[in-house]
Amino acid sequence: MPNSLTYGAFRTGRLWAAAGVSFVVLLLGSGWALLGSLEFDELCAQGKFTDQGRLLDIRRPSFPPAVICEYERGELSAGGTGLLGALLWLSLLTLVLCVLLALLAECVELPAGSPRSARVTRRESLRRTAVAFCVTASVFTGVYVLMAWPLLSGPSTACAAGAEWGFHPPETRDPSFFPPQATCVFRSGETSRLNAEWATTVTAALALPAAIAGTALTLAWRRHHTERRTAAAP
């Protein structure tokens, strides 16, 4: 039976475990940082730290979530700064690296006798890569639709979607479907971006694991198809 033939595959269990741990740390750490910075900017704006001199600026980084208040005598911050910020960045880099390595490993087939390799059939490999592609493609599609919905429903009126603007809706300029972005021009002349820059960056980045998983699925299907055709030949 062709399905009884086994081949070598990289063991990716530890990579997926490390990715899971990193995701949990990232999720909990980001929530902790966000809670720690919720009211800090209001305290700065209300002048609660008068001993630091005049307030110059308030910065709110998207990642790690934090609030940084600049004063004449220095900076005060809350949220994802310092050790917590370093931990969040390390968790994010570990998550990205482990996921990409695990997906790339699915594209490679090793000889059956390779040391430290897992023995899988072509059907099992096809099933594994199909699951990986479904998960990564679903995540990318969900985030993309969320970010690009105003553009998908009306590229020329994306900036005015979801609000009552009367006779002077904002003008939509330079719409882009990938990454989903546009420039909104208001009647006052002020401009803003349709989506935050970090959101478009995340949306574009999520296409990479989906593309790798799709490549792995295509290779697994071709190998499985070739094996079946060879076994059926007289």
Side-chain angles (χ1 to χ4, degrees):
M1 295 295 293
N3 289 330
S4 64
L5 299 177
T6 59
Y7 303 86
F10 285 108
R11 299 181 184 273
T12 58
R14 293 182 179 180
L15 287 174
W16 288 117
V21 172
S22 299
F23 177 76
V24 172
V25 172
L26 183 64
L27 187 63
L28 295 179
S30 297
W32 183 266
L34 184 60
L35 289 175
S37 60
L38 278 177
E39 297 183 0
F40 190 77
D41 55 348
E42 295 184 9
L43 296 177
C44 292
Q46 293 172 4
K48 299 296 183 179
F49 307 103
T50 55
D51 58 327
Q52 297 296 319
R54 184 168 59 90
L55 177 64
L56 301 178
D57 190 21
I58 300 178
R59 303 198 311 271
R60 302 175 180 84
S62 299
F63 183 85
V67 173
I68 303 174
C69 301
E70 296 182 4
Y71 290 91
E72 291 178 327
R73 300 176 186 175
E75 294 182 351
L76 294 178
S77 62
T81 58
L83 183 60
L84 179 57
L87 177 63
L88 290 176
W89 275 113
L90 179 61
S91 300
L92 177 62
L93 293 177
T94 303
L95 173 63
V96 171
L97 183 61
C98 289
V99 169
L100 292 182
L101 287 177
L103 291 175
L104 286 172
E106 295 293 346
C107 298
V108 181
E109 186 175 84
L110 303 174
S114 297
R116 299 182 181 180
S117 64
R119 296 174 66 87
V120 297
T121 65
R122 292 272 169 80
R123 176 172 291 183
E124 291 171 344
S125 178
L126 182 61
R127 186 183 302 114
R128 285 169 47 170
T129 54
V131 171
F133 177 71
C134 288
V135 172
T136 55
S138 297
V139 172
F140 168 71
T141 302
V143 174
Y144 179 83
V145 170
L146 182 64
M147 293 293 104
W149 183 252
L151 290 167
L152 296 175
S153 59
S156 61
T157 59
C159 292
E164 297 294 337
W165 295 97
F167 296 102
H168 302 287
E171 181 183 355
T172 303
R173 295 181 182 177
D174 305 321
S176 170
F177 286 96
F178 191 83
Q181 190 60 280
T183 300
C184 302
V185 182
F186 299 92
R187 184 185 182 189
S188 61
E190 296 182 357
T191 62
S192 68
R193 304 292 278 170
L194 177 64
N195 294 315
E197 293 298 335
W198 67 265
T200 57
T201 301
V202 169
T203 304
L206 288 175
L208 180 59
I212 296 176
T215 301
L217 176 59
T218 302
L219 292 174
W221 179 84
R222 291 183 60 182
R223 291 164 183 159
H224 180 61
H225 180 70
T226 301
E227 182 182 75
R228 292 186 61 184
R229 185 173 56 185
T230 302

